[in-house]
Amino acid sequence: MSSILQLIPANYAIERKVLPLAADEQQVTVAVPADVGSDLLDELQFMLNKEIVSEEWQESDLLAEIRRRYQLQGGGSGSLDNRQDFHLIEREKKSGPEADIPEDHSIVPLVNKFISDAIQARASDIHVESYESLFRIRFRIDGKLVEYQQLPIGKRQTVVSRLKIMAELDIAEKRRPQDGRIRMRNGHKSVDIRVSTMPTDFGEKVVLRILDKTSLNHDLDALGLDDTLLSTLKMALQMPHGMVLVTGPTGSGKTTTLYSALNFLNRPDRNLITIEDPIEYNLTGINQTMVKSQIGLSFASLLRTILRQDPNIIMLGEIRDGETAEIAIQAALTGHMVLSTLHTNDAISTIVRLIDIGVEPFLIANSLKMVLAQRLIRRICQHCKRATAVDWGAIARYQLTNELHAKTFYAGDGCDTCHHTGFAGRQAIIEYLVIDDAFRDLILQRASLGAFRNLAREKKMKSLSDLGLEKAIEGNTALEEVLYETFVL
């Protein structure tokens, strides 16, 4: 099957009478019947997160071409499933007493349906939550939780038990948190789902993290970085040794950036090793190991081990303490390229954070090559986008420049396509700091955070808030989204 056909599954194509013809970074061209309704185009816009351009075909010609291109057999849509449902791959194992599972034959399709719908909606997480008089399912879409469905309280235990069986967890254990994994497939596409359970007052809460390998493109050139940042990052990564750090809060895309950097560096003559907690995606040609604190395998202990594994490039999922930071920096000084993440508000704060956790300034000055700080901000939904008035009085505390008051800003009204949030899809904004001689001097002097910021301003380094405001002025995102994600008061 050609790559363009992978955009739309075969069963969906035949059922909805739609055929993908061409695609680029901004739009997808599809063939549809002459009497197509706007709901199909809206649905495709949401599924593919791109502008949809339609070409009208005769229905008989369209169906024949769909069957030819997808190599389908049979004369009607009855030969295919009516939905793009995902089904469990592994054989189910009942790890607790079978008597604990109430008989309810509606639960299996119900659970498959909300997992399938979450994947179709490009959700990153599914929350299954129990309250005294409420049992609900929420999806995290574009970083925000959206309620998907409320279910009868009576189905609470059977839904949770079904999820625990799928993840091969102990259904009899309701007092302790558990972690497991589910693999789902719908024919041509498989998805890994990480499952976490936690006891609450009114039953167990289950969170499913969706790891859709097919939706990610771990290509450094496809991250959407501007040309200057992309070339600067590639130069830093190709240095014979040193450290590159990516910072930002949970869910800001740090892992995707690191995986893309690893793929860029992945060559047959190099030994790449990662230490992760947990391993989110398997990368061919890269040796990946996982932290297991319960048996003493911490980031620091594993890092000592892999230094004896003759690595060229090391990726640490996170630097959490001074011991790990010092070992990582020593590795960077002794001929290894080290990539890792750190939790700081911006790129400049990373230097001060490393000093605060006990790393000597001379080690930082000689090992750190580049720092990236990133956020994911939501894109305005193109279906309900409109110009909007800004209440400058309400946001006066942000001290925005007067020049911005003359700009036009946009927002989304909310529609079915964007789940009435006003946003559809996300984009990364990344500020970066290259450690040159001027910054090294300040590091060796243990300069204050203010001194580092003054030097960054002298060098005209764009901050996260600067980059976010540019996106808002371009009409890609809302001003309120930028203020929420990037401004620190």
Side-chain angles (χ1 to χ4, degrees):
M1 182 182 294
S2 68
S3 59
I4 187 66
L5 295 183
Q6 294 176 8
L7 291 172
I8 297 177
N11 56 347
Y12 185 94
I14 196 76
E15 178 195 352
R16 301 288 275 155
K17 301 172 186 173
V18 58
L19 177 67
L21 301 174
D24 57 31
E25 292 185 358
Q26 282 77 37
Q27 64 184 26
V28 177
T29 302
V30 296
V32 293
D35 59 349
V36 67
S38 61
D39 60 329
L40 173 60
L41 302 181
D42 290 346
E43 191 174 289
L44 289 169
Q45 163 87 20
F46 179 73
M47 283 174 53
L48 304 177
N49 196 25
K50 292 183 179 180
E51 180 186 350
I52 303 299
V53 178
S54 62
E55 291 185 7
E56 294 185 356
W57 286 30
Q58 288 290 334
E59 185 172 318
S60 57
D61 294 340
L62 177 57
L63 289 173
E65 187 67 9
I66 290 172
R67 292 190 187 94
R68 187 186 71 78
R69 294 201 189 186
Y70 284 96
Q71 298 180 349
L72 300 177
Q73 303 297 323
S77 61
S79 62
L80 293 167
D81 295 334
N82 289 329
R83 280 182 44 80
Q84 192 190 358
D85 278 339
F86 285 74
H87 303 282
L88 191 63
I89 294 178
E90 271 83 17
R91 179 176 61 87
E92 296 172 12
K93 298 179 182 178
K94 295 179 175 64
S95 35
E98 292 189 19
D100 285 354
I101 310 171
E103 279 292 323
D104 187 341
H105 299 294
S106 68
I107 292 302
V108 171
L110 185 151
V111 170
N112 282 351
K113 182 180 185 303
F114 73 65
I115 292 176
S116 297
D117 287 349
I119 296 169
Q120 292 289 351
R122 300 179 183 270
S124 61
D125 302 86
I126 304 170
H127 290 240
V128 181
E129 302 171 316
S130 299
Y131 302 92
E132 184 174 13
S133 57
L134 175 66
F135 180 47
R136 71 178 178 183
I137 297 169
R138 293 192 290 171
F139 296 166
R140 188 175 293 280
I141 301 173
D142 297 333
K144 304 297 180 183
L145 283 169
V146 177
E147 185 167 297
Y148 165 75
Q149 188 177 20
Q150 293 187 16
L151 298 174
I153 292 292
K155 291 188 180 292
R156 174 163 53 199
Q157 188 54 53
T158 51
V159 169
V160 172
S161 294
R162 171 62 186 167
L163 290 170
K164 291 170 79 172
I165 290 170
M166 294 170 73
E168 299 184 355
L169 302 178
D170 185 353
I171 65 169
E173 178 56 78
K174 301 178 177 68
R175 300 169 301 166
R176 293 186 177 91
Q178 297 186 69
D179 295 303
R181 212 172 185 101
I182 297 171
R183 293 189 67 208
M184 304 284 285
R185 182 171 57 206
N186 77 332
H188 73 286
K189 178 178 180 179
S190 63
V191 174
D192 285 342
I193 300 173
R194 203 165 65 226
V195 181
S196 172
T197 71
M198 181 185 73
T200 69
D201 267 357
F202 302 103
E204 292 174 281
K205 174 181 170 68
V206 186
V207 174
L208 298 88
R209 167 62 60 88
I210 299 171
L211 306 172
D212 185 356
K213 299 176 184 178
T214 60
S215 69
L216 286 180
N217 182 6
H218 292 129
D219 182 350
L220 204 57
D221 293 321
L223 283 182
L225 310 181
D226 68 63
D227 292 342
T228 303
L229 170 55
L230 183 61
S231 61
T232 304
L233 177 57
K234 286 182 176 180
M235 287 176 59
L237 292 173
Q238 293 181 100
M239 290 182 180
H241 57 82
M243 176 180 282
V244 175
L245 294 177
V246 183
T247 80
T250 301
S252 59
K254 300 187 298 297
T255 301
T256 299
T257 300
L258 285 181
Y259 278 5
S260 299
L262 285 173
N263 268 339
F264 171 73
L265 293 168
N266 191 9
R267 292 193 334 217
D269 61 340
R270 291 173 175 165
N271 179 20
L272 287 78
I273 305 180
T274 75
I275 303 174
E276 303 174 60
D277 184 21
I279 296 170
E280 293 198 5
Y281 297 95
N282 297 117
L283 304 173
T284 303
I286 297 173
N287 303 284
Q288 297 172 266
T289 187
M290 187 168 69
V291 169
K292 295 179 181 176
S293 54
Q294 65 271 24
I295 59 172
L297 290 179
S298 63
F299 276 109
S301 63
L302 280 171
L303 184 51
R304 290 191 183 93
T305 299
I306 66 172
L307 286 173
R308 297 190 287 273
Q309 290 283 315
D310 187 31
N312 297 106
I313 294 145
I314 301 167
M315 192 273 271
L316 279 172
E318 183 182 349
I319 292 178
R320 295 179 177 174
D321 52 50
E323 180 186 16
T324 306
E326 190 153 345
I327 299 170
I329 285 178
Q330 290 288 357
L333 290 171
T334 54
H336 307 89
M337 173 55 66
V338 179
L339 314 177
S340 190
T341 72
L342 201 65
H343 286 287
T344 60
N345 287 328
D346 54 27
I348 296 293
S349 302
T350 303
I351 299 171
V352 178
R353 172 66 177 151
L354 289 171
I355 295 173
D356 286 345
I357 62 177
V359 182
E360 290 295 334
F362 75 91
L363 294 176
I364 300 171
N366 288 297
S367 63
L368 189 60
K369 304 302 182 185
M370 187 175 184
V371 182
L372 289 81
Q374 65 183 65
R375 298 288 190 279
L376 292 177
I377 57 174
R378 294 179 293 171
R379 296 180 186 271
I380 297 173
C381 174
Q382 296 302 305
H383 288 269
C384 56
K385 178 179 176 180
R386 59 169 177 79
T388 185
V390 176
D391 184 356
W392 294 106
I395 59 176
R397 63 187 183 280
Y398 292 102
Q399 299 179 345
L400 299 178
T401 60
N402 290 330
E403 288 80 3
L404 289 178
H405 292 213
K407 303 291 184 182
T408 300
F409 293 94
Y410 296 85
D413 279 330
C415 61
D416 290 340
T417 300
C418 61
H419 296 280
H420 300 280
T421 63
F423 297 93
R426 290 193 288 178
Q427 58 192 319
I429 53 172
I430 303 176
E431 71 172 24
Y432 64 97
L433 167 66
V434 177
I435 307 300
D436 60 12
D437 289 341
F439 278 108
R440 289 191 190 95
D441 289 341
L442 288 184
I443 294 170
L444 293 172
Q445 297 167 24
R446 292 180 180 264
S448 66
L449 183 59
F452 283 111
R453 292 197 193 285
N454 289 336
L455 179 57
R457 278 193 290 270
E458 288 176 17
K459 292 178 173 291
K460 294 182 169 46
M461 174 180 153
K462 289 185 178 180
S463 67
L464 284 167
S465 53
D466 293 333
L467 295 166
L469 288 172
E470 288 179 2
K471 296 291 185 185
I473 292 169
E474 292 167 1
N476 292 323
T477 191
L479 179 60
E480 290 76 9
E481 177 79 358
V482 172
L483 298 179
Y484 177 80
E485 293 289 348
T486 68
F487 277 76
V488 179
L489 295 179

